[in-house]
Amino acid sequence: MSAKGNVDGTDSRTRSIRGRSPKISSEAWIAPTAVLTGGVEVAPGAVVMDGAVVTAESAPVTIGPNSIVMENAVVRGAGRHPTTIGSHTLLGPSTHVSGAVIGSECLIATHASVFNGSVLADGVLVAIGAIVHVGTVLGEGAAVPMQHIAVGDPVRIFPPDGASEVHRLVEQVGFTRTVFDHDTNDLTFRQSMAWLCATYSGALRRNGDDS
């Protein structure tokens, strides 16, 4: 089973957000249990596999020619950060990509994550379980090893036991400032979570009201 052509919202795999519906090439293939919502564009030859969720919450998502989004991956455009995936790029099973630009001929391997404001040039490898944190820039042919964490511009790559230093660097960048355009550095963790969930849930409820 495949979804082809510009989808009008009647397909069970697609849903409009704020009047925008997915546009799927007749040469693409969308699995029966994938879900695409909002301003998502899927180019010729691209594949979105079972259980994947591709959602343009408040920014568009573009999946380039012959790129593959594998099972249970989550790909979202968010806030001021569209997600763009180039050609011949593979997002492995259970990957998470939010508000990032990913070039062509890249591999985002199983359980890897790429966060808002990140820019990955062509030919980048993000290995199994690795993390590319907010606002990180990876040049052409760069590689993030398994379970490692890339952060910053210029990028620094830390092993798993360097997570505390990564937290410090992300605090300097400002996670909520990067993702939500709102600085919560003056709040406690619990206050920050209260603000985040109240704000984000309101936006998601508005999205859910769209048919």
Side-chain angles (χ1 to χ4, degrees):
M1 183 179 182
S2 62
K4 294 185 175 182
N6 289 353
V7 179
D8 63 4
T10 59
D11 191 298
S12 62
R13 292 161 294 185
T14 66
R15 181 171 62 84
S16 297
I17 293 178
R18 299 176 185 176
R20 296 183 179 180
S21 299
K23 296 180 180 180
I24 301 169
S25 167
S26 62
E27 302 299 321
W29 189 85
I30 310 300
T33 60
V35 176
L36 284 71
T37 62
V40 175
E41 294 193 17
V42 184
V47 172
V48 180
M49 298 188 70
D50 284 287
V53 175
V54 184
T55 178
E57 292 175 4
S58 52
V61 175
T62 302
I63 300 173
N66 299 300
S67 285
I68 302 167
V69 179
M70 294 193 71
E71 294 90 347
N72 301 314
V74 175
V75 183
R76 58 162 50 93
R80 58 189 174 93
H81 299 290
T83 287
T84 303
I85 298 167
S87 65
H88 301 89
T89 283
L90 189 148
L91 307 186
S94 300
T95 53
H96 175 228
V97 175
S98 178
V101 175
I102 299 175
S104 298
E105 296 92 40
C106 293
L107 171 59
I108 313 301
T110 301
H111 288 293
S113 298
V114 182
F115 286 101
N116 299 54
S118 293
V119 178
L120 282 59
D122 296 341
V124 168
L125 164 64
V126 181
I128 294 171
I131 297 170
V132 179
H133 230 303
V134 293
T136 296
V137 176
L138 290 167
E140 185 172 355
V144 184
M146 287 191 295
Q147 307 295 329
H148 283 53
I149 309 167
V151 60
D153 178 20
V155 66
R156 296 173 65 185
I157 297 177
F158 294 85
D161 62 6
S164 59
E165 176 64 8
V166 172
H167 281 297
R168 186 186 68 80
L169 293 173
V170 171
E171 284 181 356
Q172 290 179 354
V173 172
F175 184 88
T176 56
R177 183 168 62 247
T178 301
V179 176
F180 297 102
D181 273 337
H182 184 84
D183 196 340
T184 60
N185 280 347
D186 58 338
L187 303 179
T188 67
F189 172 75
R190 292 177 63 179
Q191 289 171 333
S192 179
M193 289 305 303
W195 175 86
L196 186 156
C197 288
T199 302
Y200 200 21
S201 66
L204 294 173
R205 289 195 305 273
R206 287 192 296 274
N207 288 345
D209 289 339
D210 252 349
S211 59

